[in-house]
Amino acid sequence: MNIEELSGLPAGAVDHFRSEGIEELYPPQTAAVEAGATEGENLVAAVPTASGKTMIAALSMLSAIERGGTALYIVPLRALASEKKDEFEAYERFGVTVGVTTGNYESTSDWLATKDIVVATSEKVDSLVRNGADWLSDLTCVVSDEVHLIDDRNRGPTLEVTLAKLRKLNPRMQLVALSATVGNADEIADWLDAALVDTDWRPIELQMGVHYGNALNFDDGSTREVPVQGSEKQEAALVRDILREDGSSLVFVNSRRNAEAAARRLGDVSTNELTPEERTELAELADEIRDDSDTETSKDLAAAVEHGAAFHHAGLSSTQRSIVEDAFRDRLLKVISATPTLAAGVNTPARRVIVRDWRRFDPSAGGMAPLDVLEVHQMMGRAGRPGLDPYGEAVLLAKNHDENEDLFDRYIWAEPEPVRSKLAAEPALRTHVLATIASGFARTREELLEFLEATLYASQSSEPGRLETVTDTVLQYLESNDFIERESGGSDDSEGVDDGAFTSAAALADDGGRDEELAATSLGHTVSRLYLDPMSAAEIVHGLADADERPTALGLYQLISRTPDMYELYLRSGEDERFGDLFYEREAELLGNAPSEFEEERFEDWLSALKTGKLLEDWATETDEEQLTDRYKIGPGDLRGKVDTAEWLLGAAESLAAEIDSEWTVAVREARARVEHGVGEELLELVGVGGVGRKRARRLYDAGIEEPADLRTADKGVILAVLKGRKTAETILENAGREDPSMDGVEPRADGESDGDGNAVANASGDRTATDATETTDADDSQASLGDF
């Protein structure tokens, strides 16, 4: 279909697409239009990566906007939200407005009601529903990207329930679901009452094969010689081979450690293919990475980047990930070794994708287990970018002849697994059942079951009564923790009913609970609004309620680390003894009843939470970021993730403490502030000044500048010596409310140093030892660590 044949789009849209080089639609896009994508019809598009799914979404959304509606684009990851926002903002040139929202789970983001297209994660949309965002009822088109992730045990249930709620809010809205090719796309389409476009068409050829010995054998029967030289690894030979064609490579491995080790080795290959200009640009990127964080991970990444290679995993900071992804898309970086998280993330195609590790550790299997076909195909789908690559290659690595044959059967010839709902897992169900009751989607048990019948789980369940059984189990849990109240409604006309009569679970089971009324308590509403797992809320509430003395920071940090919403640090070999000793040393500070050490599994979980809490305590006592990442064997991204999650959970704990009238609300608030800024109690006021992070606050405090008021009166020379950069000092003084923040003519000097007239300059408090200071330029004013500015 020619682009000129499209109708029903905003004026200027066709011209925009033509300016982007789009003259003709891909076959899947044509099929989507013919199935009614631009006419408001529901659609499931199950097509390979790089085959035009985003264009299908764009045509659906723009046509809805032209009809006077608004559109929502749901993504699985925050990074993908930013990428899509940047992409859709190009539509603003013909009058389409775009907004993005991914965080702040307590906000209704009402400002988004003015936008034509809103980009959000499924978790954010779920929170908007819980908090009663009215503008959601006005949506006319909802696009769900990567809808096959409903199969994901962690994030899938939220996406599934969110889509069901949006359909109930507005039954007439158009729903467009985008997916990789899956084994049961027709089942997904039936669930969503949608037409199906299911194809394996790609704009450029994708060859899949297995490398064994010195040969790369493809699925079409062809062979390419790729010799392995001496003791080098197979992936190094494959990277070197494609680099000679000016092609880039993605290498998927099964762990962070392997990703980092592979990047070091592959840098020895890629460095030989760099031009002098590329070496200069890569050196600048390496400096950016070092400036972002002073950890060992950052140093290793920067060293690899200088050689044209990089690693990519969840331990990197968001800044580092962006640098790596952008440089790879620009083909400045020649190879990335990555964990599988990159396969489901942002757009990072390569000429050749190498799946080195097709097994990973699976606790449920008790060891290494093969990856799913769908996951491997997602990785392989990253091979080849239209306009840059004449073809794409996806390669698995075999060590012997039998494995070569097995990989063809297991992955190359195999169909992806069907998507299966994970909603019935109790952690997911208790969260979404409470949210469904609290948000008013269901006011009776019958309405709740009716709503759950609209989920994919219900359509796939073959066990009679299973949904009802697990729902009743969850309702009993929520009631026992005071999150909901259940009241029997009696007969249909409610005659003779005692309005205050609450019914036991056994009695309700006898009559099927047909008329049982459900209502969230005030505590339940708070838990749902805070976007907490009810089990997390119960752990926090019970921990605070049982505290006889003011909780310490460690006690609160260990408490939130025990919740399902915090991913604990696991205990490494030998650490059970170390943290066991810490447990006995500081047992009195910990909230709640510790399990017996003879309950090995529960006690180990308790120690894992203690380890996580100790990490947070160390951070909040200003331990250097590099020391922390080395001490706990984590990456800078892990540290930032733990700090962010702790800040959120402690903010929620503060709200819960107020809800239950706990006397420890102030202690929780203080612990949250300390973990937010990474400082001791004495620095909390200073870090409240814009531009003052943990390191600057400590330097100011040690120079006698102990509170914001001191910044308004202390000698400017001392302040400049501490803060180093003139612009930074002026900004901070302005933020502190100093009448004249200018640093013109001011020279930095140590506290107590004589001024130009021979007078000694006292520090702000008058009783501290002078600190050394050297004059620096603003160029030296960068801060490299988390929490600094």
Side-chain angles (χ1 to χ4, degrees):
M1 177 181 286
N2 191 287
I3 194 77
E4 301 289 347
E5 298 177 51
L6 291 172
S7 60
L9 301 179
V14 171
D15 289 340
H16 164 73
F17 290 131
R18 194 188 304 109
S19 71
E20 296 288 313
I22 301 173
E23 296 288 346
E24 194 169 336
L25 296 183
Y26 289 157
Q29 296 164 349
T30 298
V33 172
E34 292 173 347
T38 57
E39 297 172 358
E41 298 295 328
N42 290 351
L43 177 74
V44 170
V47 297
T49 302
S51 298
K53 290 195 292 286
T54 301
M55 183 65 170
I56 293 173
L59 294 176
S60 303
M61 293 190 297
L62 292 174
S63 61
I65 292 165
E66 180 64 9
R67 293 192 298 271
T70 56
L72 173 66
Y73 192 100
I74 303 175
V75 295
L77 302 170
R78 291 189 181 192
L80 199 54
S82 299
E83 181 181 296
K84 293 303 178 184
K85 176 180 179 286
D86 293 342
E87 188 172 340
F88 297 148
E89 278 182 338
Y91 305 158
E92 292 183 350
R93 68 186 64 172
F94 52 85
V96 174
T97 57
V98 181
V100 63
T101 178
T102 57
N104 190 1
Y105 291 146
E106 296 179 61
S107 166
T108 57
S109 301
D110 290 336
W111 64 275
L112 291 169
T114 64
K115 302 298 183 182
D116 296 316
I117 297 175
V118 175
V119 182
T121 59
S122 54
E123 288 81 8
K124 177 59 180 179
V125 179
D126 184 28
S127 76
L128 289 168
V129 174
R130 297 185 189 199
N131 286 283
D134 294 334
W135 58 272
L136 290 176
S137 299
D138 298 325
L139 292 170
T140 54
C141 178
V142 172
V143 176
S144 178
D145 199 0
E146 309 285 359
V147 76
H148 55 274
L149 291 177
I150 282 177
D151 195 78
D152 182 84
R153 187 168 298 278
N154 295 316
R155 314 190 79 163
T158 296
L159 176 58
E160 180 179 348
V161 170
T162 297
L163 293 179
K165 286 182 177 178
L166 289 175
R167 295 183 73 196
K168 184 173 181 179
L169 272 174
N170 191 344
R172 292 192 298 267
M173 77 177 189
Q174 177 187 19
L175 182 56
V176 178
L178 310 177
S179 172
T181 302
V182 296
N184 62 336
D186 55 340
E187 192 174 3
I188 304 296
D190 288 343
W191 169 53
L192 297 175
D193 300 315
L196 174 63
V197 174
D198 189 2
T199 177
D200 58 3
W201 182 91
R202 284 176 53 98
I204 60 173
E205 181 186 7
L206 173 63
Q207 291 184 296
M208 296 191 294
V210 178
H211 184 268
Y212 164 55
N214 291 319
L216 180 49
N217 303 301
F218 291 109
D219 52 350
D220 62 1
S222 62
T223 300
R224 174 171 178 154
E225 186 179 2
V226 184
V228 179
Q229 299 177 355
S231 61
E232 76 175 345
K233 303 285 187 180
Q234 286 173 279
E235 61 267 26
L238 288 161
V239 168
R240 186 183 64 252
D241 174 69
I242 207 69
L243 271 174
R244 290 172 178 170
E245 295 184 5
D246 199 28
S248 58
S249 301
L250 266 176
V251 181
F252 285 105
V253 297
N254 60 11
S255 71
R256 298 181 186 185
R257 182 176 297 178
N258 284 340
E260 294 175 13
R264 284 193 294 271
R265 291 193 303 270
L266 295 172
D268 293 337
V269 177
S270 58
T271 191
N272 298 321
E273 306 298 327
L274 300 176
T275 66
E277 293 79 11
E278 288 175 329
R279 292 181 189 279
T280 299
E281 289 185 64
L282 289 168
E284 293 172 356
L285 289 182
D287 288 339
E288 286 185 44
I289 291 167
R290 294 186 186 98
D291 287 342
D292 176 66
S293 171
D294 56 8
T295 63
E296 197 64 34
T297 298
S298 300
K299 294 172 185 175
D300 290 344
L301 179 61
V305 165
E306 286 179 321
H307 291 88
F311 52 85
H312 189 293
H313 56 57
L316 301 186
S317 70
S318 58
T319 299
Q320 292 167 352
R321 288 197 299 269
S322 294
I323 289 172
V324 168
E325 291 160 8
D326 291 343
F328 189 68
R329 279 192 289 264
D330 293 339
R331 298 291 165 100
L332 184 58
L333 283 173
K334 309 304 179 185
V335 57
I336 293 178
S337 56
T339 53
T341 51
L342 186 62
V346 294
N347 181 27
T348 49
R351 177 79 57 83
R352 178 176 281 168
V353 168
I354 303 162
V355 183
R356 193 194 79 176
D357 299 337
W358 48 274
R359 296 186 184 92
R360 69 162 162 246
F361 181 75
D362 182 352
S364 64
M368 303 299 286
L371 299 177
D372 289 342
V373 176
L374 178 59
E375 188 170 2
V376 171
H377 282 198
Q378 279 285 94
M379 299 179 200
M380 291 177 151
R382 295 284 170 187
R385 186 203 294 187
L388 281 181
D389 296 315
Y391 60 90
E393 287 182 357
V395 185
L396 290 147
L397 307 184
K399 295 179 174 60
N400 54 58
H401 177 75
D402 289 342
E403 192 170 86
N404 178 66
E405 297 295 321
D406 178 57
L407 289 176
F408 269 97
D409 292 336
R410 183 184 295 273
Y411 294 115
I412 305 297
W413 306 125
E415 291 294 322
E417 299 85 0
V419 169
R420 305 295 300 177
S421 169
K422 301 300 187 291
L423 181 59
E426 190 173 316
L429 201 60
R430 66 177 174 246
T431 297
H432 293 294
V433 164
L434 176 59
T436 301
I437 296 170
S439 58
F441 268 85
R443 292 181 171 84
T444 66
R445 176 177 175 276
E446 186 176 2
E447 288 181 1
L448 176 62
L449 290 171
E450 182 182 349
F451 170 73
L452 292 174
E453 285 290 344
T455 62
L456 178 63
Y457 170 73
S459 70
Q460 291 181 330
S461 179
S462 58
E463 183 181 343
R466 166 69 175 163
L467 180 61
E468 195 169 350
T469 299
V470 295
T471 300
D472 283 334
T473 300
V474 168
L475 288 174
Q476 190 167 359
Y477 172 83
L478 295 175
E479 184 183 27
S480 67
N481 283 283
D482 298 322
F483 298 139
I484 65 168
E485 293 175 334
R486 302 197 289 181
E487 184 177 355
S488 174
S491 62
D492 290 341
D493 59 8
S494 298
E495 290 182 3
V497 174
D498 179 355
D499 289 339
F502 287 90
T503 311
S504 71
L508 289 167
D510 289 341
D511 72 355
R514 286 186 300 275
D515 301 314
E516 181 187 6
E517 294 180 6
L518 305 173
T521 62
S522 178
L523 179 60
H525 276 289
T526 298
V527 172
S528 180
R529 175 178 55 81
L530 292 170
Y531 210 72
L532 281 175
D533 182 328
M535 187 172 282
S536 294
E539 190 79 36
I540 292 169
V541 166
H542 295 154
L544 292 175
D546 292 343
D548 296 324
E549 298 180 354
R550 190 181 198 272
T552 65
L554 177 66
L556 290 167
Y557 296 154
Q558 198 261 357
L559 174 64
I560 62 166
S561 296
R562 299 202 307 260
T563 68
D565 283 307
M566 172 69 84
Y567 290 99
E568 301 170 349
L569 297 173
Y570 67 89
L571 294 179
R572 296 177 178 273
S573 177
E575 287 188 335
D576 52 345
E577 182 177 348
R578 171 186 164 193
F579 287 99
D581 290 343
L582 181 66
F583 165 69
Y584 291 116
E585 177 187 337
R586 303 185 66 176
E587 182 178 5
E589 296 181 53
L590 306 184
L591 305 176
N593 297 318
S596 164
E597 61 182 299
F598 298 107
E599 300 176 81
E600 291 186 11
E601 188 171 335
R602 290 187 62 221
F603 190 66
E604 184 172 322
D605 285 342
W606 187 270
L607 293 185
S608 294
L610 178 58
K611 177 182 177 181
T612 310
K614 188 65 173 73
L615 165 69
L616 295 170
E617 183 190 51
D618 289 350
W619 163 251
T621 50
E622 301 167 53
T623 305
D624 184 75
E625 183 180 2
E626 183 174 13
Q627 287 180 272
L628 288 176
T629 55
D630 181 63
R631 182 181 301 168
Y632 291 93
K633 308 302 178 189
I634 58 175
D638 298 307
L639 175 58
R640 297 178 193 208
K642 290 288 183 290
V643 168
D644 288 345
T645 303
E647 183 186 348
W648 164 57
L649 286 172
L650 287 164
E654 185 179 345
S655 296
L656 292 173
E659 180 67 40
I660 63 173
D661 294 323
S662 170
E663 60 184 306
W664 311 128
T665 304
V666 174
V668 176
R669 183 182 306 134
E670 187 177 278
R672 183 201 59 76
R674 288 187 59 194
V675 84
E676 175 187 359
H677 298 288
V679 297
E681 296 177 30
E682 70 275 17
L683 299 186
L684 285 176
E685 288 191 60
L686 277 177
V687 292
V689 177
V692 178
R694 66 197 306 243
K695 289 190 175 181
R696 288 175 183 160
R698 176 52 63 192
R699 295 201 303 265
L700 287 167
Y701 191 89
D702 289 345
I705 301 166
E706 300 179 355
E707 54 188 33
D710 295 337
L711 287 167
R712 297 191 286 272
T713 59
D715 181 85
K716 287 185 177 181
V718 173
I719 293 173
L720 182 58
V722 171
L723 297 178
K724 301 181 180 181
R726 293 179 183 275
K727 291 180 181 178
T728 297
E730 289 176 347
T731 298
I732 289 174
L733 290 183
E734 184 177 355
N735 291 338
R738 186 146 183 162
E739 188 173 341
D740 177 20
S742 173
M743 283 288 171
D744 290 346
V746 177
E747 293 299 323
R749 55 175 166 260
D751 184 18
E753 181 181 321
S754 175
D755 64 17
D757 297 322
N759 300 315
V761 179
N763 64 30
S765 63
D767 60 359
R768 288 184 176 273
T769 305
T771 57
D772 293 332
T774 57
E775 184 171 4
T776 63
T777 65
D778 283 330
D780 296 321
D781 195 55
S782 61
Q783 299 294 310
S785 294
L786 172 62
D788 225 335
F789 297 88

